Amino acid sequence: MKKTPVFLESLVTNMLRLRAICPFSWRVFQFRPISCEPLIIQMNKCTDEEQMFGFIERNKAILSEKQVGCAFDMLWKLQKQKTSLLKNAEYVRDHPQFLTLHNLATNKFKLMNDDTLVNVLYVTQQFDIKLLSEFSSCLADQHLYFSPLMGKIADIVHRNLETTQDLRLKSTMLLMSEDLTGEQALAVLGAMGDMESRNSCLIKRVTSVLHKHLDGYKPLELLKITQELTFLHFQRKEFFAKLRELLLSYLKNSFIPTEVSVLVRAISLLPSPHLDEVGISRIEAVLPQCDLNNLSSFATSVLRWIQHDHMYLDNMTAKQLKLLQKLDHYGRQRLQHSNSLDLLRKELKSLKGNTFPESLLEEMIATLQHFMDDINYINVGEIASFISSTDYLSTLLLDRIASVAVQQIEKIHPFTIPAIIRPFSVLNYDPPQRDEFLGTCVQHLNSYLGILDPFILVFLGFSLATLEYFPEDLLKAIFNIKFLARLDSQLEILSPSRSARVQFHLMELNRSVCLECPEFQIPWFHDRFCQQYNKGIGGMDGTQQQIFKMLAEVLGGINCVKASVLTPYYHKVDFECILDKRKKPLPYGSHNIALGQLPEMPWESNIEIVGSRLPPGAERIALEFLDSKALCRNIPHMKGKSAMKKRHLEILGYRVIQISQFEWNSMALSTKDARMDYLRECIFGEVKSCL
């Protein structure tokens, strides 16, 4: 194995020594060019490493510390865009201009902020993973345990704990965790949360430090600790008991609305989220001063308490319900007194509409409709993003957004386009000028497809697919080897959950294009992904078993119905049956399913169209039960993903029957006989959708 170049070792060592010697005086004198933008723009135009090295050689005398950091970042971006066969880390590492860049980084180290420094170190170790071990040892040697930078550096090191086999690296990292300060332990905990790392040994050591310093943390830091430990499934009664005691003591002495909302939110996340009368009184005292963010946070916390304490219908629950009414009152009051869309959208920036109580959400939409004429190219992206999160269909607002996009497209930043399209996709709504709206948006973005974040590009493609809109240029930009290799390399640095989400959307887009646009001849390449993903599909819950038994009675036996069926292209169907040309149920030939078990895939081929395997005149029926997530919050209108699934099943040859949970649980269907009659009507009658 090739030895780590000496200059890389010296880069790390020199940087850390300088940090240890003079941690407070680096930024006293900082001489920078008037504007660093032109040079950064030049860097961004480089398409390969040779161009970057030429740039470094020409401009080495004038590069600032920020531009040096950008140069490292750009080299890594170019590297990530290559397939595994084309990656040339060794070429970059051994290039003389990389040595020049190293010298520049060392010389300008004292001027770098923590983010730039961490980025430089991260990129450096990417070009030689062995350097990571040397780097971790340097940290211990230089006694940098008390640097605020420690937490960020620990993040870099920790990302490699699961894949790096160097035992010295692991032991060094664990040694560090014993000597962390309270601030550093909090940073490490945040890094573990970001990477979804549940390394029990490291969690134990970090929480030991947190417990020791718990009294010194501020309310916002205590909220972060509570959130991260809850997410990491940490369970230790003594720790949470002390944390709860501390939060309550802060709450009793706090009079600032934002601080009170932070403390209340943290308490609501604890294993025992109960709040006493003193806490409720403190909330009530600050309500008149609260903005929409505070009110929404309080409402979420109170609902969490009520859900936790629902079995205790005591006096405290009654007070919580009364508090909800007060929150609703002050929220309505604040919305009704709003006199500017600009002021209102500032409060919307950090709000998610799906956390809004129903009554407040209706008032919010009414307020936005009141200011509808003030929606313009400046704020249209923010308004669209908020509406996407509400699941509330307001055709007036969506029509206005579409109109602004068409009329003011030249003033709208191209990277805002995905946010503008998203609510139409989520809510399954076509504005009157649908084709003009979507065409204008996509055309405005076409010139930027090559530089748009690959994750955003995948999400955009998926959003358009739900709207049955398939621009060829966009699909060509996504479904090619170069882009997919670039996407694959970037997925490696994402948290597992976000990486899985991106991959799932890519699969859904691939499936949609294969089914709805076969003329593009884009291959289906997600068999293995879907097989892995669907391993988790298990048995039926109580409600599904009840429905299964009813369907068996309606159809004439359990051998005439299948549950949890995987179709070609891996759509999951709740229940499936087959009727012959006389509408008589056909039994499945090898049906041997016990309740709670997953049936085998019904068809051998994953690309076979269903109709070809049925007797003449027979039809395959899919029964889908739609929960509240499949419908808009204000009306029984199917959202985009459910509508797309229905289209796909119909392409595959199904007659699709969709039944909403609201209909199924209505008073009209409160008896078994009524439900049986309803199912008969849906299956044997002419009813195709029971929404």
Side-chain angles (χ1 to χ4, degrees):
M1 181 179 292
K2 190 163 183 175
K3 187 181 185 300
T4 305
V6 175
F7 73 84
L8 290 182
E9 294 184 10
S10 65
L11 169 64
V12 174
T13 305
N14 290 340
M15 283 183 169
L16 297 175
R17 281 176 179 162
L18 282 168
R19 276 271 161 131
I21 295 169
C22 48
F24 305 110
S25 58
W26 301 340
R27 301 180 181 89
V28 176
F29 302 103
Q30 300 185 30
F31 300 98
R32 304 179 181 183
I34 296 174
S35 172
C36 60
E37 185 179 67
L39 289 178
I40 291 177
I41 290 175
Q42 288 179 47
M43 272 189 265
N44 288 331
K45 290 180 179 179
C46 293
T47 57
D48 57 39
E49 290 88 346
E50 200 56 49
Q51 289 183 14
M52 269 301 302
F53 287 137
F55 169 85
I56 293 167
E57 186 175 16
R58 290 192 304 273
N59 297 285
K60 57 189 175 186
I62 59 172
L63 289 178
S64 69
E65 78 283 356
K66 179 180 177 182
Q67 291 158 352
V68 169
C70 287
F72 274 102
D73 190 44
M74 192 63 193
L75 283 171
W76 179 234
K77 283 182 179 178
L78 291 169
Q79 181 74 2
K80 288 190 297 182
Q81 292 172 6
K82 300 179 182 297
T83 64
S84 57
L85 294 176
L86 293 176
K87 287 186 177 179
N88 54 351
E90 198 169 296
Y91 163 76
V92 172
R93 188 180 61 213
D94 296 338
H95 197 285
Q97 291 307 319
F98 196 61
L99 175 59
T100 300
L101 193 61
H102 145 258
N103 291 332
L104 287 171
T106 302
N107 293 336
K108 298 179 183 296
F109 174 74
K110 291 185 284 186
L111 298 176
M112 289 182 180
N113 60 34
D114 288 350
D115 289 332
T116 301
L117 174 65
V118 169
N119 187 58
V120 169
L121 294 173
Y122 175 72
V123 172
T124 303
Q125 64 93 9
Q126 291 297 331
F127 285 110
D128 193 325
I129 192 65
K130 188 181 175 186
L131 182 61
L132 189 64
S133 179
E134 303 292 332
F135 176 46
S136 63
S137 296
C138 283
L139 285 175
D141 294 342
Q142 298 299 322
H143 304 290
L144 289 186
Y145 304 119
F146 300 100
S147 166
L149 181 63
M150 172 59 201
K152 294 182 180 180
I153 294 175
D155 180 17
I156 292 177
V157 178
H158 182 70
R159 292 184 194 198
N160 293 272
L161 281 179
E162 300 303 325
T163 56
T164 304
Q165 300 304 313
D166 190 335
L167 294 177
R168 184 157 60 94
L169 169 61
K170 294 186 178 182
S171 62
T172 303
M173 185 62 211
L174 294 176
L175 169 64
M176 286 176 186
S177 63
E178 290 177 341
D179 294 285
L180 296 176
T181 65
E183 184 180 1
Q184 293 159 358
L186 187 60
V188 173
L189 181 66
M192 294 178 69
D194 291 341
M195 299 310 297
E196 300 175 18
S197 169
R198 294 184 170 89
N199 183 306
S200 58
C201 185
L202 193 54
I203 290 176
K204 184 178 179 181
R205 290 172 184 264
V206 171
T207 51
S208 175
V209 178
L210 292 171
H211 195 262
K212 186 170 34 174
H213 295 278
L214 212 53
D215 292 331
Y217 291 117
K218 298 175 183 177
L220 196 58
E221 293 170 326
L222 292 175
L223 171 61
K224 183 178 180 180
I225 290 170
T226 309
Q227 289 173 322
E228 299 294 2
L229 291 180
T230 302
F231 175 72
L232 295 173
H233 301 160
F234 175 74
Q235 294 176 338
R236 188 176 159 198
K237 291 182 180 179
E238 311 86 60
F239 184 95
F240 282 122
K242 183 177 179 181
L243 181 57
R244 177 181 174 79
E245 181 183 341
L246 193 59
L247 289 167
L248 288 172
S249 68
Y250 268 121
L251 182 61
K252 289 174 183 177
N253 297 297
S254 180
F255 298 91
I256 303 170
T258 301
E259 186 175 89
V260 173
S261 72
V262 163
L263 293 166
V264 167
R265 186 177 171 191
I267 293 169
S268 75
L269 293 171
L270 295 174
S272 299
H274 189 69
L275 192 66
D276 58 17
E277 291 190 29
V278 176
I280 290 180
S281 299
R282 177 60 58 223
I283 295 174
E284 291 176 335
V286 299
L287 286 182
Q289 309 161 47
C290 288
D291 62 15
L292 292 173
N293 287 287
N294 301 145
L295 294 170
S296 178
S297 178
F298 282 139
T300 302
S301 299
V302 173
L303 287 170
R304 195 177 285 125
W305 294 331
I306 292 174
Q307 186 177 13
H308 181 267
D309 298 337
H310 71 279
M311 67 287 293
Y312 308 111
L313 295 176
D314 55 11
N315 186 46
M316 187 56 66
T317 304
K319 290 187 176 182
Q320 291 171 350
L321 292 170
K322 189 176 180 181
L323 178 57
L324 269 184
Q325 293 176 339
K326 290 185 178 180
L327 287 167
D328 184 79
H329 166 75
Y330 282 104
R332 285 174 171 273
Q333 193 176 71
R334 187 166 186 87
L335 287 168
Q336 289 167 359
H337 291 167
S338 296
N339 55 17
S340 163
L341 180 60
D342 284 338
L343 293 176
L344 182 61
R345 72 186 179 93
K346 287 178 182 177
E347 295 191 34
L348 295 182
K349 274 186 179 180
S350 55
L351 275 177
K352 291 187 176 179
N354 55 7
T355 64
F356 253 53
E358 207 72 40
S359 56
L360 269 189
L361 180 58
E362 291 178 4
E363 191 70 40
M364 170 64 78
I365 296 297
T367 305
L368 288 173
Q369 289 174 346
H370 176 72
F371 293 121
M372 197 164 60
D373 291 341
D374 295 332
I375 298 176
N376 56 36
Y377 70 95
I378 297 173
N379 55 40
V380 65
E382 291 176 10
I383 302 299
S385 293
F386 176 76
I387 293 174
S388 298
S389 70
T390 65
D391 288 342
Y392 192 105
L393 179 58
S394 167
T395 58
L396 288 175
L397 286 175
L398 291 181
D399 288 347
R400 173 61 183 173
I401 289 171
S403 176
V404 169
V406 170
Q407 294 173 11
Q408 303 179 27
I409 192 66
E410 295 302 326
K411 298 179 181 179
I412 295 174
H413 194 287
F415 291 179
T416 306
I417 295 300
I420 292 173
I421 290 174
R422 182 164 168 73
F424 298 88
S425 165
V426 170
L427 299 169
N428 184 30
Y429 177 71
D430 287 334
Q433 71 276 42
R434 172 193 185 272
D435 290 341
E436 183 184 7
F437 163 61
L438 294 176
T440 300
C441 287
V442 171
Q443 185 64 37
H444 191 51
L445 197 58
N446 270 348
S447 302
Y448 301 88
L449 296 181
I451 61 173
L452 196 66
D453 189 306
F455 313 138
I456 301 298
L457 206 57
V458 170
F459 286 131
L460 173 63
F462 170 74
S463 293
L464 291 169
T466 62
L467 292 166
E468 297 183 80
Y469 197 81
F470 301 93
E472 192 169 356
D473 287 345
L474 176 65
L475 295 176
K476 285 181 178 179
I478 294 174
F479 293 105
N480 69 75
I481 297 298
K482 184 177 179 181
F483 174 84
L484 293 175
R486 179 175 158 225
L487 175 65
D488 192 53
S489 66
Q490 294 201 20
L491 287 175
E492 295 174 5
I493 62 175
L494 288 184
S495 65
S497 62
R498 191 179 177 200
S499 176
R501 191 162 62 248
V502 174
Q503 291 180 70
F504 193 78
H505 278 306
L506 180 64
M507 181 278 292
E508 290 181 301
L509 176 58
N510 186 201
R511 175 169 60 195
S512 188
V513 173
C514 288
L515 284 169
E516 301 189 67
C517 300
E519 66 275 13
F520 289 159
Q521 297 185 329
I522 291 173
W524 167 248
F525 55 91
H526 278 91
D527 263 330
R528 180 178 294 182
F529 173 83
C530 289
Q531 287 162 7
Q532 290 292 323
Y533 180 82
N534 287 294
K535 277 184 179 178
I537 296 181
M540 294 179 280
D541 60 26
T543 302
Q544 289 171 323
Q545 290 189 25
Q546 179 190 54
I547 294 169
F548 182 89
K549 290 177 180 178
M550 287 187 186
L551 285 170
E553 286 187 53
V554 168
L555 294 166
I558 63 169
N559 62 335
C560 292
V561 59
K562 281 192 173 184
S564 299
V565 174
L566 287 177
T567 73
Y569 297 103
Y570 297 90
H571 272 302
K572 179 177 171 287
V573 173
D574 293 337
F575 301 99
E576 180 196 275
C577 64
I578 299 173
L579 302 184
D580 66 14
K581 62 183 179 182
R582 292 182 295 275
K583 296 209 171 186
K584 180 181 177 181
L586 289 177
Y588 289 92
S590 57
H591 189 94
N592 184 22
I593 302 171
L595 285 179
Q597 293 181 344
L598 173 66
E600 296 178 0
M601 269 196 71
W603 312 314
E604 291 82 10
S605 170
N606 277 339
I607 57 172
E608 183 173 10
I609 301 300
V610 262
S612 62
R613 302 211 41 208
L614 295 177
E619 64 175 351
R620 202 184 298 266
I621 298 173
L623 287 98
E624 288 280 287
F625 284 79
L626 305 179
D627 61 15
S628 59
K629 294 179 181 178
L631 306 171
C632 296
R633 284 177 72 172
N634 55 322
I635 56 174
H637 175 76
M638 265 196 307
K639 289 163 62 178
K641 287 190 69 170
S642 297
M644 182 167 67
K645 182 178 180 180
K646 182 174 185 288
R647 291 199 311 270
H648 291 178
L649 293 177
E650 288 172 343
I651 291 170
L652 289 168
Y654 279 102
R655 171 160 69 94
V656 183
I657 298 170
Q658 293 175 312
I659 302 172
S660 78
Q661 69 169 21
F662 303 108
E663 182 74 14
W664 187 252
N665 295 319
S666 67
M667 288 296 293
L669 301 181
S670 58
T671 66
K672 180 183 176 182
D673 287 344
R675 286 179 170 177
M676 296 278 282
D677 289 340
Y678 182 77
L679 289 174
R680 289 190 187 96
E681 182 183 5
C682 287
I683 295 170
F684 301 111
E686 296 301 319
V687 179
K688 292 195 177 181
S689 177
C690 300
L691 286 176

